[in-house]
Every structure is written in C-alpha cells, then in structure tokens.
Amino acid sequence: LLGFFPGNKELQPLQYAKVARAASVSRQKVEGCIQGITSLLSHCLGKGENVALVLRDIGVLLIEGLKVKMRFYYDFLQRMFGKRNLERATFEVPQLLKMVVSRAIPIASLTFCGRVIIFP
C-alpha cells in the first residue's frame, strides 16, 4: 500500500527481496520474521503493554504508553555519520547523547518495559 503523510512524505512498500539479499536469508524468512514481529508488537500495544524493540546493530525502540523513543548504539551512529562528525555533533548539541545507548546496558534498565522483543 502506498500512502501520503503530512509533509508530502510517501509511504513505500517494504522490499522484502532487497532486505533478504542484504541479510543473506530467504525472502520467505524475511517476510515471516517481519510479519511475526509486527503481529507480536501489535498484540502487545493493543493490550497497553510497554515494549522495548531491540534492533540488533542499530539500537532500541522504546514504546511506553504514548511516548516513543529511539536510542541508538554509538557504533551504529559512528558508521552512519563518521567518528569526527559524530564527535562534533555531540559537542555542539550535548542533548544528542540522550539518544545513545551502550550495548552493555541491560534493556530493563532503560524502561519499565513489559516485554522485550529482539528483532533477529
């Protein structure tokens, strides 16, 4: 399904085959995994549960009530922006450090989460 959101942002369908190639797994595995995670996430949120969705190598998406926060692993941000750019950005805008999470910190310490879902 394609749709438009405020600000003229267009919603594009997920390209399962492209994700499968990037992850070196079958398209069916990608589709099943994403549908399973989506179903579980929908079920948890439908019951009003707080959720921490761990996205391996990226960070943690925290959903608590009506609040949604994304906390990124520092090494992911380094890969995305480069070490110098990231250091400069955090120096100029120290609040960015609130968006960074260490891999060593237990997920439970980030939230009063009801469930932790780890995306494979």
Side-chain angles (χ1 to χ4, degrees):
L1 294 174
L2 294 178
F4 291 93
F5 291 94
N8 298 323
K9 296 188 188 215
E10 188 175 336
L11 178 64
Q12 297 290 325
L14 183 59
Q15 298 176 2
Y16 292 110
K18 189 174 183 180
V19 173
R21 281 192 304 276
S24 300
V25 297
S26 72
R27 183 184 194 283
Q28 292 80 11
K29 184 168 186 163
V30 168
E31 224 175 306
C33 180
I34 290 173
Q35 288 174 358
I37 292 291
T38 303
S39 177
L40 179 58
L41 187 58
S42 176
H43 174 76
C44 293
L45 295 176
K47 290 176 64 177
E49 296 182 29
N50 296 329
V51 177
L53 180 62
V54 179
L55 301 167
R56 185 175 48 182
D57 298 330
I58 297 173
V60 181
L61 178 67
L62 301 165
I63 305 171
E64 299 177 295
L66 298 176
K67 293 182 182 181
V68 178
K69 295 185 274 186
M70 184 67 200
R71 305 282 301 270
F72 296 97
Y73 295 131
Y74 190 81
D75 59 322
F76 169 76
L77 293 175
Q78 272 187 323
R79 285 192 312 272
M80 294 298 294
F81 301 107
K83 187 174 182 174
R84 281 190 195 186
N85 290 336
L86 184 57
E87 287 173 353
R88 188 177 326 125
T90 55
F91 178 75
E92 292 174 9
V93 186
Q95 296 87 348
L96 289 176
L97 290 175
K98 292 179 183 177
M99 295 177 61
V100 177
V101 64
S102 167
R103 291 177 185 273
I105 292 178
I107 301 303
S109 70
L110 298 175
T111 180
F112 294 108
C113 183
R115 293 189 188 240
V116 176
I117 301 170
I118 300 174
F119 193 83

